[in-house]
Amino acid sequence: MSGSLLVDNIGELVTNVAGAGEGGPLGIRRRAAVLVEEGRVAWVGPAAIAPAADRRVDADGAAVLPGFVDSHAHLVFAGDRAAEFAARMSGQPYTGGGIRTTVAATRAASDDTLRETVRRLRAEALRQGTTTMEIKSGYGLTVADEVRSLRIAAEASDETTFLGAHLVPPEYADRPDDYVGLVCGPMLRAAAPHARWIDVFCERGAFDADHARAILTCGQAAGLGVRVHANQLGPGPGVRLAVELGAASADHCTHLSDGDIDALAATRVDGSDGDGGHTTTVATLLPGAEFSTRSPYPDARRLLDAGVTVALATDCNPGSSYTSSMPFCVALAVREMGMTPAEAVWAATAGGARALRRDDVGVLRPGVRADLTILDAPTHLHLAYRPGVPLIRQVLHNGVPT
Ligand SMILES: [Zn+2]
């Protein structure tokens, strides 16, 4: 589809361009319009002086915001762990060991089965307003299975992450050093061409700081950016390691010491282009995991008050967080994690973009990708105010209405 498209009659436009309007970082404009040309935002301004366009989408006074940027998801898997969820809800604790169940099912699945799961979940997320979605490997844990996971992920997203170090697979249980050698050597060599990022589950029972550092350093040498599963199940070295290695994101951040928060805050840099500054290592919070494992939520307030940039993501995976819904995560963040609705919406859009080091998504200004979500609501506040309600009326992805 070519030609220009005007999204007109927007009651509340969240731009995430600080200083462009009300609402601080949200940069809210009233009675606005957005012109889209060739998949990009060409103009943003008052509806009353909007330029002409070939086609028009009438927002009918509703709120419009940048598409959600989900910077943490595990979509390449097979199998179902509903029974494990039910067991947890009857009192069993979450340990992370169920990942092995999914590894077995994923290895046994055909490419088409995996591809269909990714397609289905990606479409499900898009219907809920997610226009950028990072996708990790990590349920193959052999050279061949990690590479095919990444190939399939790359068909659905340009944000792919090599997570060969999700867990030590059973066949290496008594020789984890050998598995780390495999991940750093043949597996990384085969995986790197299909990945933008490398990630490690740095947690008791998964990979300790020395193993995680070795793997992430090899990944960096192979040209991959770093992200870390850090401090989810208990206090640990993950956040400090993320900061030490200049990671784009430390993810989970559920159990943080004051020193962890100081370390994240120390990565703060001054803003350019009207943004008020940010931390180069973002704290990505995944409240779907705490919800689904009935665990205490991370304290977003503490991070925000220390000046740490916060992102929200789904952690969509079959074990510990089987939701693809960013609106659900926004509602949890507001209700359970001390975030204001504005902070949560920013974290789910611009914050996710920061966590992926992207400046062409999560924001609405001329030149960026035309990813817009039109709500069935007059204001972004409704995302937390009306939890569980399908509020996404229409999505534009790369300028194309869905
Ligand atoms: Zn994860």
Side-chain angles (χ1 to χ4, degrees):
M1 227 184 308
S2 60
S4 58
L5 171 71
L6 186 71
V7 182
D8 200 4
N9 201 11
I10 300 168
E12 177 191 279
L13 177 67
V14 173
T15 65
N16 287 339
V17 178
E22 318 156 30
L26 290 189
I28 291 173
R29 291 169 169 267
R30 308 279 172 196
R31 292 174 293 282
V34 176
L35 181 69
V36 173
E37 284 174 349
E38 292 174 357
R40 299 268 152 184
V41 172
W43 179 90
V44 177
I49 58 164
D54 299 329
R55 287 174 300 138
R56 181 171 174 270
V57 169
D58 186 352
D60 198 21
V64 171
L65 54 153
F68 294 119
V69 179
D70 185 353
S71 61
H72 186 136
H74 307 250
L75 304 190
V76 193
F77 65 85
D80 179 285
R81 284 158 60 190
E84 183 189 312
F85 174 78
R88 270 203 307 278
M89 294 307 112
S90 17
Q92 283 182 19
Y94 177 69
T95 61
I99 294 169
R100 289 186 191 87
T101 312
T102 300
V103 169
T106 303
R107 288 176 175 177
S110 70
D111 289 7
D112 283 347
T113 298
L114 297 177
R115 190 171 281 121
E116 173 55 20
T117 298
V118 172
R119 188 207 62 75
R120 178 174 58 78
L121 292 171
R122 183 65 195 88
E124 182 183 280
L126 185 63
R127 286 197 299 277
Q128 297 168 94
T130 299
T131 47
T132 302
M133 196 168 194
E134 182 256 22
I135 304 177
K136 301 177 196 296
S137 67
Y139 293 117
L141 310 186
T142 66
V143 174
D145 285 310
E146 284 297 299
V147 169
R148 78 166 174 150
S149 295
L150 286 166
R151 281 183 192 277
I152 290 168
E155 293 168 6
S157 177
D158 48 7
E159 296 292 348
T160 54
T161 300
F162 170 47
L163 181 59
H166 199 183
L167 209 70
V168 176
E171 63 272 23
Y172 283 89
D174 53 357
R175 45 191 181 110
D177 289 350
D178 290 356
Y179 186 66
V180 172
L182 175 71
V183 172
C184 288
M187 197 184 279
L188 175 62
R189 273 196 298 281
H194 310 288
R196 177 166 185 232
W197 304 97
I198 186 164
D199 191 347
V200 170
F201 190 24
C202 182
E203 197 77 43
R204 193 183 300 270
F207 295 88
D208 66 17
D210 290 342
H211 280 160
R213 183 183 291 104
I215 291 163
L216 294 170
T217 305
C218 292
Q220 278 180 317
L224 304 182
V226 170
R227 12 196 9 94
V228 184
H229 278 70
N231 301 55
Q232 176 189 5
L233 303 177
V239 166
R240 305 292 185 97
L241 185 62
V243 170
E244 173 193 322
L245 297 177
S249 180
D251 296 46
H252 285 288
C253 291
T254 310
H255 298 271
L256 298 184
S257 67
D258 289 345
D260 294 329
I261 291 181
D262 291 347
L264 288 166
T267 72
R268 194 167 179 85
V269 293
D270 286 340
S272 56
D273 210 12
D275 109 14
H278 60 275
T279 53
T280 56
T281 301
V282 171
T284 300
L285 309 183
L286 310 166
E290 279 75 34
F291 177 89
S292 301
T293 59
R294 198 178 271 160
S295 302
Y297 289 90
D299 187 349
R301 189 75 263 143
R302 203 169 149 221
L303 286 159
L304 290 164
D305 289 348
V308 177
T309 300
V310 169
L312 286 172
T314 62
D315 196 19
C316 184
N317 78 83
S320 58
S321 183
Y322 202 6
T323 180
S324 58
S325 172
M326 290 293 279
F328 175 62
C329 294
V330 166
L332 287 179
V334 171
R335 175 62 181 83
E336 304 289 347
M337 289 157 49
M339 297 179 84
T340 67
E343 287 167 340
V345 166
W346 190 94
T349 50
R354 284 269 176 239
L356 293 170
R357 297 206 169 146
R358 294 276 296 262
D359 56 12
D360 63 328
V361 297
V363 59
L364 293 176
R365 63 164 174 250
V368 304
R369 213 166 74 179
D371 290 345
L372 288 78
T373 293
I374 304 173
L375 299 185
D376 238 333
T379 161
H380 68 281
L381 297 172
H382 279 225
L383 288 166
Y385 174 50
R386 306 199 65 216
V389 175
L391 290 181
I392 309 303
R393 182 191 300 170
Q394 191 172 20
V395 181
L396 267 71
H397 190 209
N398 290 314
V400 179
T402 58

